[in-house]
Amino acid sequence: MTADIVFRGGLVADGTGRSVFAADVAVTGDKIVAVTEPGAARGVRIVDIDGLVVAPGFVDMHSHSDLAVLTDPLHEAKVMQGVTLEVIGQDGLAYAPVSSETLAQLRVQLAGWHGDPESADWSWRTVGEFLDRVDAVTPVNVAYLVPHGNVRLLVMGDSDQPPSSGELAEMKQIVEDGLAEGAFGMSTGLTYVPAAFAETNELIELCRSVATSGGFFSPHHRNYGAEIFAGYQECIDIAEASDVALHFAHAHVNFPRNDGKARELLDMIDVAVGKGIDVTFDTYPYTAGATYLHALMPSWTLKAGVDAMREFLSDATTRSRILRELEIDGSDGHHGMPVEWHTIFLSGASTEGFGAFSGSSVTEIAAILGRPPGDMYLDIVEAEGFGASCIVDIGNEANVRTIMTHASHTAGSDGILVGRRPHPRGWGTFPRYLAKYVRELGVLSLEECVKHFTSNATHRLGISDRGVLSLGTRADLVCFSPTDVQDRATMESPRTSPAGIPYVMINGEFAVEEGRRTASSSGRALRSHDERLVPGALHKDKYRGDSV
């Protein structure tokens, strides 16, 4: 048989964690048709990859590309990194399912994460309709999670009360509908309104529906600071009570008070796995996080929308209360920790006046404009509403390194792609792992790192034909130089593509060829009911795949 394309001369990291080996990789259409002895495969086109490693395409398990995959046909931020599949619908807030009213509200609330592009056609309402829209245009493969906050908004609006039995039944049905239409699980964001108002029992009941539908639960848990381990434990308890597979979003251990405590989290996960709970997680290889600027505010100020929040800020007594929560007591929006304003950097703003300060800390902006830092922050939030984004430098490098070594680890960029100075993780996560933590520091072996990027992720999703490079799997491939791969995105120049990734293939088409982005837009919106091998269970049924 003569294949369409043969990659020759490289080393294969097949995604299973086995040692790299020399082989030809042959592709016909969108399938891998041979992984065979060097020089044995015949092809219409031979691509010389001498000195490169060929691996399955990388999976971004925590992405905020929900609108980028609709409006940016090149999507270089992810494609140039070798990302061929992204998991969107994260942190309990996204764009489906919606009503006309909740979509309008979410477009405002999420502008700091995604922008609010007029070029998007906003006519979808259900998860299935959204996936149809994505499928028609996306440059990368996409998997979707039903956002818990969307479901709560549809049934309960901004209420901070527990649902009635009827409301809970309606929420369960919406979750089940979303999974039936192709979602892979449910996300939540327990520091974000309205999901922050959900009690544990509500989440257990919703997760029972997720488990019955074969999906997984991906929480941004309640607290990454003062009560961090209680936040993680609540989610483990939810998984145990509901029998749902659990995938922690951005499983970092943050703030100076938690320096050196990453092992406690990993021990908790190991104990849970030992009890039969299926637990995985993702992280990004940076100490700083990112979110929308108003996320730091106490949740009670946000539940009625942007106009009500501005009214709170315009009242001297209420403003003083907010400042006390932010600076002394610890706002729930900042994980119960008093804000240190020099750690909060404005990364994007909707107004020209504050936009000019993108990249500066709140402390620096306050010094320039002659305001106390806390008041400066509130001034920006009042002026920007929900349109500003920020970088929050609250992490710990030792914790980052410890967490990535766990066998259940996957990679997620958590990349916010809007704003003048967005976090560089949106452009640099995957090459940074390979350059810094594999080549320079040896925290992970190359084979381990590729496994975390690929089969660990696809097995969590329950996908059988991606994530492992073997006969019959989809031709999602990345070729990189182990000696030259390098992230080049920085805080100062975040929108910079990496070096050392000359070839990326998505569903059998070159998305990157000889280091340049092609015009190909060959991604798909994956549906769980079409793709799933088994319902979750990385630990219960390890998928290895066949190589040569």
Side-chain angles (χ1 to χ4, degrees), residues 510-532:
F510 280 107
V512 177
E513 192 168 7
E514 296 181 353
R516 293 185 294 274
R517 180 69 170 98
T518 71
S520 172
S521 187
S522 58
R524 289 180 47 208
L526 306 184
R527 269 79 166 184
S528 57
H529 44 70
D530 294 334
E531 305 291 336
R532 182 160 283 129

Side-chain angles (χ1 to χ4, degrees), residues 110-241:
L110 301 181
W113 283 355
H114 304 288
D116 187 23
E118 292 298 326
S119 59
D121 178 350
W122 300 94
S123 59
W124 68 80
R125 293 295 179 266
T126 68
V127 169
E129 289 169 349
F130 177 75
L131 291 176
D132 286 343
R133 187 66 47 77
V134 171
D135 198 50
V137 297
T138 179
V140 297
N141 298 312
V142 169
Y144 192 72
L145 302 176
V146 177
H148 167 226
N150 286 48
V151 175
R152 216 173 197 275
L153 280 175
L154 282 170
V155 177
M156 301 179 63
D158 287 317
S159 172
D160 59 1
Q161 299 301 304
S164 67
S165 59
E167 289 170 333
L168 185 57
E170 187 177 355
M171 290 166 67
K172 287 169 69 73
Q173 186 61 59
I174 293 171
V175 171
E176 291 167 12
D177 289 346
L179 271 76
E181 292 165 11
F184 285 78
M186 182 184 77
S187 74
T188 193
L190 297 178
T191 64
Y192 298 125
V193 171
F197 303 134
E199 297 179 354
T200 303
N201 286 339
E202 173 185 325
L203 295 165
I204 290 172
E205 285 303 312
L206 294 177
C207 283
R208 286 182 173 139
S209 291
V210 176
T212 300
S213 300
F216 66 92
F217 175 45
S218 184
H220 165 130
H221 62 79
R222 288 192 200 276
N223 193 287
Y224 286 79
E227 302 293 336
I228 186 169
F229 297 111
Y232 280 115
Q233 188 61 52
E234 179 192 21
C235 296
I236 292 172
D237 293 343
I238 290 166
E240 183 173 23

Side-chain angles (χ1 to χ4, degrees), residues 62 64 90-93 109-110 113 148-149 152 158 187-199 202-203 217-232 234-235 238 248-250 252 254-255 284 289-303 325-326 330-337 377 386 390 392 394 414 416 425:
H62 189 97
H64 288 286
Q90 299 285 356
D91 294 327
L93 292 165
Q109 182 172 348
L110 301 181
W113 283 355
H148 167 226
R152 216 173 197 275
D158 287 317
S187 74
T188 193
L190 297 178
T191 64
Y192 298 125
V193 171
F197 303 134
E199 297 179 354
E202 173 185 325
L203 295 165
F217 175 45
S218 184
H220 165 130
H221 62 79
R222 288 192 200 276
N223 193 287
Y224 286 79
E227 302 293 336
I228 186 169
F229 297 111
Y232 280 115
E234 179 192 21
C235 296
I238 290 166
F248 283 115
H250 38 62
H252 289 258
N254 290 332
F255 294 97
Y284 46 83
T291 187
Y292 42 64
L293 188 66
H294 63 279
L296 309 182
M297 294 281 285
S299 59
W300 61 266
T301 69
L302 304 175
K303 68 178 182 178
E325 289 194 33
L326 287 167
S331 161
D332 57 354
H334 197 55
H335 311 283
M337 300 295 295
Y377 167 78
F386 292 165
C390 65
V392 186
I394 54 174
D414 199 10
I416 293 172
R425 67 192 184 189

Side-chain angles (χ1 to χ4, degrees), residues 277-294:
I277 304 170
D278 183 12
V279 187
T280 57
F281 57 90
D282 61 70
T283 67
Y284 46 83
Y286 300 84
T287 56
T291 187
Y292 42 64
L293 188 66
H294 63 279

